[in-house]
Amino acid sequence: MKILGIESSCDDSSASVVENGRKVLSSVIKSQSTIHNLTGGVVPEVAAREHLSNMIPAIDEALKLANLSMKDIDAIAITQGPGLVSSLIVGTETANVISFVEDKLLIPVHHIHGHIYANFLEVEDEIRFPALILTVSGGHNELILMRDHFDFTLLGQSRDDAGGEAFDKVARILGLGYPGGPKISEASQKGNPDAFKFPKARLEKGSLDFSFSGLKTAVLNQFTEEVKRENISDEASVPEKLKNDIAASFQKAINEALSEKLMLALANYPDVKEVHLAGGVSANENLREMIRLQMPQNVVFRFPKSLEYCTDNASMIAAAGYFRFQKNPSEFKAKTNIVPSSDFGF
């Protein structure tokens, strides 16, 4: 089954063709990072306008790279939410029109389900359940127990700032640019992770929820204090060593918090056969290594095969759409009207 995936939940316009939920025939991502770097973050109206320009060319390119036409496509999988509503409208309306004109099945997909199924892309061995999944993206942190395809139990989630958002905000504080995840990771390689001691919110005993607003504030306060102590007058004069040390210390604190919650959940569910890391922050090498070192030998540890599948992409949406369709094929029809929702239930 060949599915055309369309993703527009935030600032990247993406289209992809995936066969049987695993084999990526093409993947196109039209990034807006250069534009949003000017403002240090995503401006929703700007993102939506860029989607209008990029979406149809991305779809055309994805079909061309797969050497297919729309008549070869069996269904369209589209991100319904959550995300920026103005961006989601562009993707869903594009999918709705194609579905009506080409008479193609339309499969709405939860954005986080997409990140979960990024770990199924280009994987040849069988993924065993139950699996424990840690998703870390710009808007969401979740710990999820996955007993089977589309059989999810939400164990924990972010109560305030998500991990990816914290990376972006700290990168902005330090003047490192956007997107924050890669910028923090790069700076951390040159910094001392023990230079500063930042707090980790553990919440109430046994909680599997996350909280990073306090960590973000602690970084801001520390940076402000250091700038005053060094009598630094402008951002351009901030020493690279200070930026690198704060970045490395922040990365250590947030990754320890993420991995500690994951290990606590794993201890609570000893029958788990696999642990999956998903979302934009799954690209972080330090987090991967921190988890890998704590992983029991009898548990398989997976993260996306390609860095491209860590960030928002249409391949993961097509994969999730395929497995959702397989779960209940009669649920999906052509010529339906998918309405975007930032409140799309998990």
Side-chain angles (χ1 to χ4, degrees), residues 12 17 19 22 24 63 76 87 116 144 146 153 161 186 214 216 243 260 309 316-317 336 339:
D12 286 339
V17 180
E19 186 172 19
R22 295 187 185 234
V24 179
L63 291 170
I76 302 167
S87 292
I116 290 170
I144 299 156
M146 184 179 185
T153 300
D161 294 346
E186 181 181 351
K216 184 185 69 178
K243 292 183 180 181
E260 285 172 8
Y309 304 148
M316 70 184 193
I317 301 302
T336 55
V339 178

Short mmCIF file of all heavy atoms in Angstrom, two decimals, residues 12 17 19 22 24 63 76 87 116 144 146 153 161 186 214 216 243 260 309 316-317 336 339:
data_model
loop_
_atom_site.label_atom_id
_atom_site.label_comp_id
_atom_site.label_asym_id
_atom_site.label_seq_id
_atom_site.Cartn_x
_atom_site.Cartn_y
_atom_site.Cartn_z
N ASP A 12 7.81 23.36 8.85
CA ASP A 12 8.37 22.65 7.70
C ASP A 12 7.25 22.06 6.86
O ASP A 12 6.36 21.38 7.38
CB ASP A 12 9.31 21.52 8.15
CG ASP A 12 10.64 22.04 8.66
OD1 ASP A 12 10.99 23.19 8.32
OD2 ASP A 12 11.33 21.31 9.39
N VAL A 17 6.29 9.67 0.13
CA VAL A 17 5.58 8.46 -0.28
C VAL A 17 6.21 7.28 0.44
O VAL A 17 7.43 7.07 0.35
CB VAL A 17 5.63 8.23 -1.80
CG1 VAL A 17 4.87 6.95 -2.16
CG2 VAL A 17 5.03 9.42 -2.55
N GLU A 19 5.74 3.07 1.41
CA GLU A 19 5.06 1.82 1.05
C GLU A 19 4.98 0.89 2.26
O GLU A 19 5.98 0.63 2.93
CB GLU A 19 5.83 1.11 -0.09
CG GLU A 19 5.13 -0.12 -0.63
CD GLU A 19 5.81 -0.68 -1.87
OE1 GLU A 19 6.99 -0.35 -2.11
OE2 GLU A 19 5.16 -1.45 -2.60
N ARG A 22 6.72 1.27 6.01
CA ARG A 22 8.14 1.14 6.37
C ARG A 22 9.09 1.63 5.28
O ARG A 22 10.09 2.27 5.58
CB ARG A 22 8.46 -0.32 6.70
CG ARG A 22 7.74 -0.83 7.94
CD ARG A 22 8.24 -2.22 8.31
NE ARG A 22 7.49 -2.77 9.44
CZ ARG A 22 8.04 -3.23 10.55
NH1 ARG A 22 9.35 -3.17 10.70
NH2 ARG A 22 7.29 -3.73 11.51
N VAL A 24 10.47 3.90 2.62
CA VAL A 24 10.36 5.28 2.16
C VAL A 24 10.78 5.36 0.69
O VAL A 24 11.93 5.13 0.35
CB VAL A 24 11.24 6.22 3.01
CG1 VAL A 24 11.13 7.65 2.51
CG2 VAL A 24 10.84 6.14 4.48
N LEU A 63 6.29 12.89 -5.43
CA LEU A 63 5.78 11.94 -6.42
C LEU A 63 6.83 11.67 -7.51
O LEU A 63 7.04 10.53 -7.93
CB LEU A 63 4.50 12.46 -7.05
CG LEU A 63 3.26 12.51 -6.14
CD1 LEU A 63 2.13 13.28 -6.80
CD2 LEU A 63 2.81 11.10 -5.77
N ILE A 76 -4.02 9.06 1.29
CA ILE A 76 -3.29 10.24 1.74
C ILE A 76 -3.37 10.29 3.27
O ILE A 76 -4.46 10.20 3.84
CB ILE A 76 -3.91 11.53 1.18
CG1 ILE A 76 -3.92 11.50 -0.35
CG2 ILE A 76 -3.15 12.76 1.67
CD1 ILE A 76 -4.79 12.57 -0.97
N SER A 87 -0.92 26.72 10.25
CA SER A 87 -0.10 25.82 9.43
C SER A 87 -0.86 24.55 9.08
O SER A 87 -0.80 24.06 7.95
CB SER A 87 1.19 25.46 10.17
OG SER A 87 2.04 26.58 10.28
N ILE A 116 6.04 8.64 16.84
CA ILE A 116 6.17 7.25 17.32
C ILE A 116 6.51 6.31 16.17
O ILE A 116 7.40 5.46 16.29
CB ILE A 116 4.87 6.81 18.03
CG1 ILE A 116 4.70 7.55 19.36
CG2 ILE A 116 4.85 5.30 18.25
CD1 ILE A 116 3.35 7.36 20.00
N ILE A 144 5.03 6.91 26.85
CA ILE A 144 3.89 6.16 26.33
C ILE A 144 4.20 4.67 26.36
O ILE A 144 5.28 4.24 25.94
CB ILE A 144 3.59 6.58 24.87
CG1 ILE A 144 3.24 8.07 24.81
CG2 ILE A 144 2.47 5.75 24.28
CD1 ILE A 144 3.48 8.70 23.48
N MET A 146 3.19 1.34 24.63
CA MET A 146 2.57 0.89 23.39
C MET A 146 2.49 -0.63 23.41
O MET A 146 3.49 -1.32 23.27
CB MET A 146 3.38 1.37 22.19
CG MET A 146 2.79 1.07 20.84
SD MET A 146 3.86 1.74 19.52
CE MET A 146 2.87 1.38 18.07
N THR A 153 -0.99 3.82 25.99
CA THR A 153 -1.32 4.31 27.33
C THR A 153 -0.37 5.44 27.66
O THR A 153 0.86 5.24 27.65
CB THR A 153 -1.20 3.20 28.39
OG1 THR A 153 -2.10 2.14 28.07
CG2 THR A 153 -1.54 3.75 29.77
N ASP A 161 6.80 23.61 29.94
CA ASP A 161 7.62 23.63 28.73
C ASP A 161 8.07 22.23 28.34
O ASP A 161 8.54 21.46 29.19
CB ASP A 161 8.87 24.50 28.93
CG ASP A 161 8.52 25.96 29.14
OD1 ASP A 161 7.37 26.33 28.85
OD2 ASP A 161 9.40 26.72 29.57
N GLU A 186 25.80 21.40 19.44
CA GLU A 186 27.09 21.80 18.90
C GLU A 186 27.91 22.57 19.93
O GLU A 186 29.11 22.32 20.11
CB GLU A 186 26.87 22.66 17.65
CG GLU A 186 28.15 23.12 16.97
CD GLU A 186 27.90 23.99 15.76
OE1 GLU A 186 26.72 24.10 15.32
OE2 GLU A 186 28.88 24.57 15.25
N GLY A 214 11.27 25.59 35.16
CA GLY A 214 12.22 26.01 36.19
C GLY A 214 13.65 25.95 35.71
O GLY A 214 14.47 26.82 36.02
N LYS A 216 14.65 26.23 32.57
CA LYS A 216 14.82 27.34 31.61
C LYS A 216 15.07 28.66 32.35
O LYS A 216 15.95 29.44 31.97
CB LYS A 216 13.58 27.44 30.73
CG LYS A 216 13.66 28.48 29.64
CD LYS A 216 12.34 28.59 28.90
CE LYS A 216 11.27 29.19 29.80
NZ LYS A 216 9.98 29.36 29.09
N LYS A 243 29.07 30.69 26.86
CA LYS A 243 27.94 30.12 26.13
C LYS A 243 28.05 28.59 26.08
O LYS A 243 27.07 27.88 26.31
CB LYS A 243 27.89 30.67 24.71
CG LYS A 243 27.54 32.14 24.60
CD LYS A 243 27.45 32.54 23.14
CE LYS A 243 27.10 34.01 22.97
NZ LYS A 243 26.99 34.38 21.53
N GLU A 260 16.17 9.78 33.36
CA GLU A 260 15.76 9.28 34.67
C GLU A 260 14.28 8.91 34.70
O GLU A 260 13.89 7.86 35.24
CB GLU A 260 16.06 10.32 35.76
CG GLU A 260 17.54 10.42 36.10
CD GLU A 260 17.85 11.58 37.02
OE1 GLU A 260 16.89 12.22 37.52
OE2 GLU A 260 19.05 11.86 37.26
N TYR A 309 14.24 11.74 10.04
CA TYR A 309 13.01 11.18 10.62
C TYR A 309 12.82 11.61 12.08
O TYR A 309 11.79 11.32 12.68
CB TYR A 309 13.01 9.66 10.53
CG TYR A 309 13.18 9.13 9.13
CD1 TYR A 309 13.85 7.91 8.90
CD2 TYR A 309 12.70 9.82 8.03
CE1 TYR A 309 14.00 7.41 7.60
CE2 TYR A 309 12.87 9.35 6.74
CZ TYR A 309 13.52 8.14 6.52
OH TYR A 309 13.68 7.66 5.25
N MET A 316 6.95 9.93 8.48
CA MET A 316 6.41 9.38 9.72
C MET A 316 4.88 9.46 9.73
O MET A 316 4.20 8.59 10.29
CB MET A 316 6.99 10.12 10.93
CG MET A 316 6.53 11.55 11.10
SD MET A 316 7.34 12.38 12.50
CE MET A 316 6.30 13.86 12.65
N ILE A 317 4.32 10.50 9.09
CA ILE A 317 2.87 10.64 9.01
C ILE A 317 2.29 9.55 8.11
O ILE A 317 1.26 8.94 8.42
CB ILE A 317 2.49 12.04 8.49
CG1 ILE A 317 3.05 13.13 9.42
CG2 ILE A 317 0.98 12.17 8.35
CD1 ILE A 317 2.60 13.03 10.87
N THR A 336 -13.67 13.03 2.24
CA THR A 336 -14.10 13.52 3.55
C THR A 336 -13.44 14.87 3.80
O THR A 336 -12.55 15.28 3.05
CB THR A 336 -13.72 12.54 4.67
OG1 THR A 336 -12.30 12.30 4.61
CG2 THR A 336 -14.44 11.21 4.51
N VAL A 339 -10.74 18.47 9.36
CA VAL A 339 -10.63 19.80 9.97
C VAL A 339 -9.48 19.79 10.97
O VAL A 339 -9.42 18.92 11.85
CB VAL A 339 -11.94 20.17 10.70
CG1 VAL A 339 -11.79 21.54 11.36
CG2 VAL A 339 -13.10 20.17 9.73
#
